[in-house]
Amino acid sequence: VVIGTVLGLGWKLRNERRDSETRRFQAEVESACDRVVAEIGRQADSDRKLVGGACQSGELVDRAVIWMEAGTLDDERRLSLSRIVPEERQAFDLDELVLATADGDMLGQAPITLLNTPRAEVVRLVGGDVAHYALRPSPRPALISRCRKATRDGRAVGLVGARLLEPVLDRLGVTVDARVTMGAAPPARTDVVQKSCPLVDTAGSTVTLVVSKPTRELVDNLARIDQTVINAGLIAVGLAFVIALLLSWNLGRPIAKLAAETRKVASGEARPLRVRGSGEMAELARSFDDMLESLDVTRRRLAAATRVAAWREVARRVAHEVKNPL
């Protein structure tokens, strides 16, 4: 009974725990995906405010605006601005920083490889929405933050910063304890749980993020659940076996003693058991003791009746022997 009960309950508990653990693991991966998107959004807003502050009170943009308004933005001053841009990029902790006019005239850039950016691309970057961050899906996905400051003659100077997504995803992967990549989700695998989540800006540009977490932790948890159920079952069966031995010993000893005394009833050597306590065995023992007492009384009465009958026979014979001579 105990083994059957333990197996049934253990199997049910095991399946319930395995299902709940699997659901918890999948929910953890989905939550990690949402957290990554939220953290990227917060990082982008922080960059946008940082770059926006440079247009409001930053020395770099103010210099460019003043020189443009004065018409003194010559090559020497352009060179001065281009030297300040790398310092600003390091101060902002951005991967890319571009200072340019609204018509695409590049005033400074960091790194230097951005010098070959097409003029039309520069115009698009500077003229974008400054109230929200933007996504650059390719060639190197990045978060774009920008600000603009207009001159009195209707022109404008813009500052555009970019933070590459790949280092951000690596950092967030450590935070959420999962691997975060970009692009389409790879084919489904049994050893990895994956969740795709889109990162979308206000212009509709999208970068698909994929959060992957190996099921090794899940497998280990399930193995611990199985081991716990097995250990609990073995302990329960062991305890049941010990209890069964104790019960059988407590029940078997009175029964064996009763059987031994029962075999002596016919010879008249049986002794009362004198069992104390309650229960069926105690009741049976008391009934046996009562039976022995009844048998003893019956034996004594039978012996007395036998002696009386014997004396009567003797008296009858004596009377007969006396009567014959008379």
Side-chain angles (χ1 to χ4, degrees):
V1 171
V2 171
I3 292 175
T5 304
V6 169
L7 288 177
L9 291 177
W11 181 260
K12 183 179 180 181
L13 291 174
R14 173 184 178 274
N15 290 338
E16 290 179 353
R17 288 297 305 276
R18 287 176 70 92
D19 292 342
S20 64
E21 187 67 20
T22 302
R23 289 193 299 269
R24 185 199 65 79
F25 191 83
Q26 292 174 347
E28 185 177 330
V29 174
E30 294 176 0
S31 175
C33 203
D34 296 337
R35 287 174 56 192
V36 167
V37 172
E39 287 295 330
I40 291 176
R42 282 191 283 268
Q43 180 66 68
D45 287 337
S46 176
D47 293 344
R48 182 183 59 81
K49 293 177 181 178
L50 190 65
V51 173
C55 285
Q56 293 177 2
S57 59
E59 181 183 0
L60 178 63
V61 178
D62 284 345
R63 283 187 183 185
V65 170
I66 291 172
W67 290 340
M68 284 182 63
E69 290 176 344
T72 57
L73 191 59
D74 53 16
D75 291 341
E76 182 178 353
R77 288 179 173 173
R78 285 173 178 268
L79 181 61
S80 175
L81 291 175
S82 66
R83 290 174 178 172
I84 299 176
V85 170
E87 298 176 0
E88 290 290 300
R89 181 183 71 84
Q90 291 183 355
F92 293 161
D93 191 26
L94 295 172
D95 298 299
E96 300 174 6
L97 189 64
V98 173
L99 177 67
T101 63
D103 57 0
D105 186 11
M106 188 87 76
L107 302 179
Q109 67 287 317
I112 194 64
T113 54
L114 297 176
L115 184 62
N116 297 324
T117 304
R119 191 180 189 91
E121 178 66 16
V122 176
V123 172
R124 188 186 67 81
L125 287 174
V126 175
D129 183 10
V130 298
H132 303 90
Y133 75 91
L135 285 173
R136 184 181 70 192
S138 62
R140 299 185 69 186
L143 301 171
I144 305 298
S145 305
R146 58 172 68 89
C147 68
R148 285 189 304 275
K149 192 167 187 177
T151 62
R152 287 192 296 268
D153 56 2
R155 293 179 294 172
V157 175
L159 189 64
V160 182
R163 183 181 298 277
L164 298 179
L165 274 176
E166 187 174 354
V168 176
L169 297 182
D170 291 340
R171 173 173 56 84
L172 292 177
V174 175
T175 303
V176 300
D177 191 22
R179 184 169 179 265
V180 186
T181 57
M182 292 175 288
R189 296 164 51 186
T190 57
D191 60 338
V192 176
V193 175
Q194 300 174 346
K195 175 65 177 178
S196 298
C197 43
L199 183 65
V200 185
D201 63 6
T202 55
S205 299
T206 304
V207 174
T208 302
L209 306 179
V210 179
V211 177
S212 306
K213 191 169 185 178
T215 57
R216 181 178 60 255
E217 178 184 348
L218 175 61
V219 172
D220 293 342
N221 291 339
L222 297 181
R224 283 195 293 271
I225 291 173
D226 291 344
Q227 189 62 43
T228 301
V229 172
I230 292 174
N231 292 339
L234 292 177
I235 292 173
V237 171
L239 290 175
F241 183 72
V242 172
I243 293 173
L245 287 178
L246 293 176
L247 290 176
S248 63
W249 184 72
N250 290 332
L251 291 175
R253 185 177 60 173
I255 291 175
K257 189 175 181 181
L258 178 61
E261 295 299 329
T262 303
R263 286 191 292 269
K264 299 177 182 179
V265 171
S267 62
E269 298 176 357
R271 304 292 182 187
L273 297 177
R274 307 299 181 191
V275 176
R276 297 179 179 180
S278 60
E280 296 177 352
M281 289 305 303
E283 184 67 25
L284 179 61
R286 282 191 288 270
S287 298
F288 180 77
D289 292 345
D290 293 341
M291 182 192 70
L292 288 182
E293 292 178 1
S294 299
L295 286 176
D296 186 54
V297 172
T298 302
R299 283 197 189 94
R300 288 198 297 270
R301 289 178 179 177
L302 181 60
T306 303
R307 287 195 296 272
V308 170
W311 281 110
R312 284 178 178 175
E313 181 65 21
V314 170
R316 187 185 67 79
R317 287 179 180 273
V318 170
H320 178 72
E321 292 298 331
V322 172
K323 179 182 179 180
N324 285 340
L326 294 176

